[in-house]
Amino acid sequence: MIPFDNRDGTIWLNGQFIPWRDAKTHTIAHGLHYASLVFEGERAYNGRIFRLQEHHERLHRSAEILDFQIPYSVQELNDVARELLKRQDLKDAYIRPAAWRGSGQMGVSAHNAGVNTVIAAWQWPSYFSPELLEKGISLKISQWRRPAPDTAPVHSKAAGLYMICTLAKHQAEAHGFTDALMLDWRGYLAEATGANIFLVINGKLHTPIPDCFLDGITRRTVIGLARLQGREVVEERLAPDDLARASEVFICGTAAEVTPVGKIDDYNFTPGEVTRALAEAYSREVRLPEQEQALFGQNLYGVAA
Ligand SMILES: Cc1ncc(COP(=O)(O)O)c(C=O)c1O
């Protein structure tokens, strides 16, 4: 893999489009030392970024939760992301915006540290290999748990929350699994390290209540698409034991899309019809022009999931 600091291309940093290799930050930055960084993961299909507005609204919200403001509006960020695709002639791409407290002040208090904002985009066709998608990925339940909402800013897509995701994923990989499944602080099923989870039980979709982890844009999209297919969706507390009742399991996220799960610890699942139908509907949805999408005009977060 080509290292990410040594690529051709253009990155937008603090208001300027600059050569990819020049997109540097100072080593003494609050974001680097104290994890005051928020980010997004977006995807473009056929040159169009799916749910762009929602991603940048979430980026703003994530920063506000960490008590700082991004100095560019959602509209400005949308325009920059689109322009980056154009300038680099990218059609199927991953887009990574981030904002972090800067170098104006060092120490825990950060009122005058300043804020940096970046957007990068690169070609990125698929997260998991086609063979893996066919039989489903494997998840290992992690010892690391999603924190309680009063111990961390759990609804911000903040770098600090990924410290335990990396540890969990490394541990899973060391045991031959694709990814980790994290429980929440109470021991209920929560999510994978970068994607939400759904169980199919008696033909209905069951998914954990996102009260201490990210309520993903893909999760909301999948819920909308499932309902259009006439499928009931239940948000509830799910215990690890509930995996025994599931006929199918899948994870979903911007990067993972809808990915079947074939195994969680000693539980085995066969990717089936429900997952396939939703994966196809999602794959169609993200590739359609906005006005032709099945959920066009629907505020994904406007109604109770
Ligand atoms: C921890 C975590 N959960 C869930 C998701 C899924 O969110 P989305 O569907 O908005 O990409 C992501 C990806 O951003 C994530 O990093």
Side-chain angles (χ1 to χ4, degrees), residues 39-41 55 58 146 157 162 165 191-196 213-219 252-255 282 301:
F39 68 102
E40 273 304 313
H55 279 288
R58 186 169 70 185
R146 304 308 305 169
K157 193 167 163 59
Y162 288 81
C165 295
E191 58 172 352
T193 60
N196 293 117
F213 57 87
L214 213 62
D215 184 359
I217 291 166
T218 318
R219 176 185 182 279
C252 68
T254 297
Y282 182 75
Y301 294 90

Side-chain angles (χ1 to χ4, degrees), residues 103-120:
S103 310
Q105 187 181 0
M106 203 48 186
V108 173
S109 186
H111 302 293
N112 298 311
V115 174
N116 294 295
T117 316
V118 70
I119 307 185

